[in-house]
Amino acid sequence: MPRDEHRTDDFEERVSRAMGGASDEFPPHSADLVTRSIARGRRMRLFGAARVAAAAVTVVAAGGTLMATDAFGTRSGADGRLAADASASSPASPGRSPSRGHAPVSGEEMVRTLKSLLPPGGTVSEATGRGSRSDGAVVWPSARLTYSTGAGSSGIDVTVARLASGLPADEQGASGCLPLEVRPYDKCSTRRLPGGALLSTTKSFTYPNSDTGQKRWYVVLTTADGVQLTAQEFGGGAEKGATGGADPLLSTAQLTAIVRSPAWKGAIDALPVPDTAPAGPTRTDRASGARLTRVLESHLPHGTVSDVNSGTGLVQLVHDDGDGRNMVEVDVQYDATAAIGGHMGCAGESGGCEAGTLADGTRIKRVRTRSEKGGAAQVWLVDTLRPDGRRVTVREVNSYAESAPVTRPRPELSLDRLQEIALDKGFFTD
């Protein structure tokens, strides 16, 4: 089943706003959410045929004491690991201890700090802030407002957050450019700053499946010891509050200056300290991105591979056999029977679909359908569910991204080839 992109995330497709009733508690959308529901980080994880938009908001985070880094230009004795949601920080996250010896920061303080970092001469309206908490569920501090001058208006927001411990960085919205396969119209660059901090700068659009409409610019700063801050800006006013293509008032250089300012030290110090013990056993070695990439590439015909995006349980890449670029994706899951066992038939599927069961009990669904992003692209996929709950979904699009223009008349690989790939036991280590 194709995936969806979101914002507060992808999450736009990273589809349903995770946390349901708590949606109005979400901090402002940040850079990481690709598909309105990025599963486990900035990658939008398709929770396939079940059409469940698993909304594990990208918790931008980091770790360790914020010691002197040139990114902030100051030393901080803050204990703990910090981060900001480069996509859409989750409003609350359990399993964290209060910050050690630091008072919480209030929403009003967050707003005051953001105002103090804006260029003089403009006016501020619709300002709201969210403070941190020293007990109970974690809330990432944030501030948002509308900044106006004679040249127009921009919606601006900043979020400060902290990573969960015990999870791979690629599953927690680590900063970096989002993959071409899901954000084809982003113009993004990443550079290492003195002291080891990583800065990602992106010029994008509020709706990621289009290169028109309201512009969205954002920067994500992650220090060497894990602190991460995100600042984003929407041209013409608040997010989705404008339809034109006006540039945001602040340049990306000015957004960068905001996230690098030492004025956020109080908010950083107030962040709770993450638990040091992992929440439970992980299986990251059982379906690593490197393994998935290696196995998938072994099945591809002669041609060139580019734009590889891989992480635990997921690989996306673009293959060109000389007749046009074709996006191919493999999603691997364990213990998937309860979630999607009832969705391995063709009921409710649009387009061509066939389903059946192999002699060993593996259930298979093969689908040809149109892109859910509203474009002309075709999506072909094969979904397989083994009796032991291991699931492999292989999908392809006759373009380099589902929301991009088509680059070939039809997808490159036949459904038989996709099924062959999905049944390869090499994706698993057990």
Side-chain angles (χ1 to χ4, degrees):
M1 164 114 224
R3 13 176 106 205
D4 285 90
E5 280 190 311
H6 160 310
R7 154 270 234 243
T8 244
D9 183 343
D10 302 193
F11 333 110
E12 320 90 51
E13 12 139 290
R14 291 266 149 49
V15 224
S16 54
R17 297 194 183 210
M19 318 301 184
S23 61
D24 52 351
E25 288 299 311
F26 278 31
H29 291 335
S30 331
D32 260 2
L33 260 119
V34 155
T35 41
R36 280 241 172 242
S37 156
I38 282 187
R40 295 192 298 200
R42 63 189 175 100
R43 301 176 293 125
M44 48 176 165
R45 293 289 311 269
L46 157 76
F47 205 79
R51 298 195 181 268
V52 180
V57 261
T58 40
V59 184
V60 205
T65 303
L66 177 57
M67 297 303 290
T69 90
D70 290 341
F72 283 89
T74 183
R75 296 188 68 88
S76 164
D79 196 2
R81 305 197 314 184
L82 313 141
D85 189 349
S87 160
S89 308
S90 74
S93 174
R96 297 175 188 275
S97 309
S99 58
R100 298 171 187 166
H102 296 287
V105 63
S106 69
E108 290 77 10
E109 290 175 282
M110 291 294 294
V111 170
R112 281 198 300 271
T113 299
L114 177 54
K115 284 182 177 180
S116 73
L117 299 174
L118 296 175
T123 60
V124 169
S125 61
E126 301 176 313
T128 61
R130 184 185 308 283
S132 61
R133 288 173 56 169
S134 59
D135 57 2
V138 170
V139 173
W140 302 133
S142 62
R144 73 169 69 185
L145 50 78
T146 298
Y147 175 74
S148 303
T149 68
S153 298
S154 282
I156 302 171
D157 62 63
V158 172
T159 303
V160 183
R162 184 193 304 277
L163 263 202
S165 58
L167 290 177
D170 69 329
E171 294 188 4
Q172 301 195 59
S175 66
C177 295
L178 299 177
L180 173 76
E181 292 87 343
V182 295
R183 302 291 301 215
Y185 302 111
D186 282 11
K187 294 180 179 179
C188 176
S189 63
T190 298
R191 62 190 174 100
R192 187 73 62 179
L193 301 177
L198 193 68
L199 179 72
S200 296
T201 302
T202 304
K203 291 185 175 182
S204 185
F205 296 86
T206 299
Y207 296 96
N209 60 343
S210 173
D211 59 353
T212 61
Q214 186 182 39
K215 293 182 179 180
R216 175 188 175 216
W217 294 357
Y218 58 86
V219 298
V220 182
L221 175 71
T222 307
T223 65
D225 43 10
V227 175
Q228 191 173 67
L229 297 116
T230 300
Q232 66 174 345
E233 181 182 17
F234 297 90
E239 177 191 4
K240 298 181 181 178
T243 57
D247 284 350
L249 295 179
L250 274 61
S251 66
T252 54
Q254 289 172 303
L255 293 178
T256 297
I258 288 175
V259 296
R260 296 184 68 178
S261 171
W264 299 111
K265 182 180 181 297
I268 291 169
D269 289 351
L271 290 172
V273 178
D275 292 340
T276 55
T282 62
R283 289 175 165 177
T284 56
D285 60 322
R286 297 170 65 183
S288 70
R291 170 183 291 274
L292 269 54
T293 302
R294 186 168 59 251
V295 175
L296 173 57
E297 289 187 347
S298 73
H299 287 276
L300 298 177
H302 178 74
T304 59
V305 171
S306 63
D307 300 290
V308 177
N309 168 46
S310 66
T312 303
L314 177 74
V315 60
Q316 298 169 314
L317 54 78
V318 176
H319 184 259
D320 191 341
D321 61 358
D323 293 324
R325 290 186 287 176
N326 192 77
M327 191 273 279
V328 187
E329 169 187 291
V330 174
D331 193 2
V332 174
Q333 298 166 8
Y334 284 80
D335 304 321
T337 302
I340 63 109
H343 300 268
M344 290 301 292
C346 290
E349 289 290 348
S350 59
C353 176
E354 52 187 328
T357 303
L358 301 181
D360 65 357
T362 297
R363 300 172 65 184
I364 293 182
K365 179 163 72 172
R366 298 158 45 125
V367 178
R368 286 188 177 97
T369 188
R370 306 285 292 189
S371 167
E372 292 186 343
K373 305 290 187 293
Q378 299 176 53
V379 179
W380 292 3
L381 72 86
V382 172
D383 201 352
T384 63
L385 180 63
R386 290 165 167 79
D388 60 6
R390 293 181 297 177
R391 179 192 186 195
V392 178
T393 304
V394 184
R395 65 192 292 269
E396 63 174 334
V397 180
N398 59 332
S399 178
Y400 53 90
E402 191 169 337
S403 59
V406 299
T407 50
R408 51 188 303 130
R410 55 189 285 163
E412 173 188 358
L413 307 175
S414 68
L415 287 177
D416 287 342
R417 177 65 68 88
L418 295 184
Q419 180 171 318
E420 174 188 320
I421 295 171
L423 294 175
D424 192 327
K425 297 179 180 177
F427 289 121
F428 304 98
T429 58
D430 59 353

